[in-house]
Structure formats: structure tokens, C-alpha cells
Amino acid sequence: MSEVNLKIGPLPDRTPQKLTVLVDPPLATDLDAYARIHSEIHGVEVPASALVPLMLETFLASDTGFRKARKA
């Protein structure tokens, strides 16, 4: 695949945890597509369920309003 940069790089070594989330079908499709592209780029097959926690961590880390409110 051509040079593509995703916000989530290769996965760190982690102990897998089960995650159960209900999402609408369009979001499930997008998550599966992201996982497929991530797997192609990094050469390691990763399910969407393994990426979702990292996506949430990235989102929370980038939410300045959340960080400010948490400090208050």
C-alpha cells in the first residue's frame, strides 16, 4: 500500500481485554475498514476491537475541554 499515515501506529504489546460495544452499522463498517487498512500498512492482522481502545485513548488525549475539566 502507498505511504499512508494513520493516527494509530503499530500496536504496543498489550494483554488483550474483551471489549463489548454496540455501534450503528455504518460505524461498524468504518471500524472494520480502518482495521483492514491498519493491518495492510503494518503487516499484522488486527481486529477493530483491538483498535477501539487506542482510538478512545487518542480522542481523550486530544480533547482539551476534557483535560481542563478533569483538572478542575
Side-chain angles (χ1 to χ4, degrees):
M1 181 172 240
S2 64
E3 183 67 28
V4 176
N5 292 318
L6 300 178
K7 288 196 179 247
I8 297 175
L11 293 180
D13 185 21
R14 294 180 167 213
T15 302
Q17 300 291 317
K18 183 175 181 177
L19 174 67
T20 302
V21 172
L22 297 175
V23 297
D24 291 332
L27 179 55
T29 299
D30 286 347
L31 290 170
D32 287 338
Y34 192 102
R36 180 185 52 76
I37 293 166
H38 186 278
S39 296
E40 289 174 6
I41 291 171
H42 298 290
V44 178
E45 191 166 331
V46 178
S49 61
L51 295 172
V52 169
L54 296 169
M55 292 173 173
L56 292 172
E57 287 175 13
T58 300
F59 172 79
L60 291 174
S62 68
D63 189 327
T64 55
F66 171 70
R67 287 197 316 268
K68 287 178 184 177
R70 195 166 188 193
K71 288 180 182 179

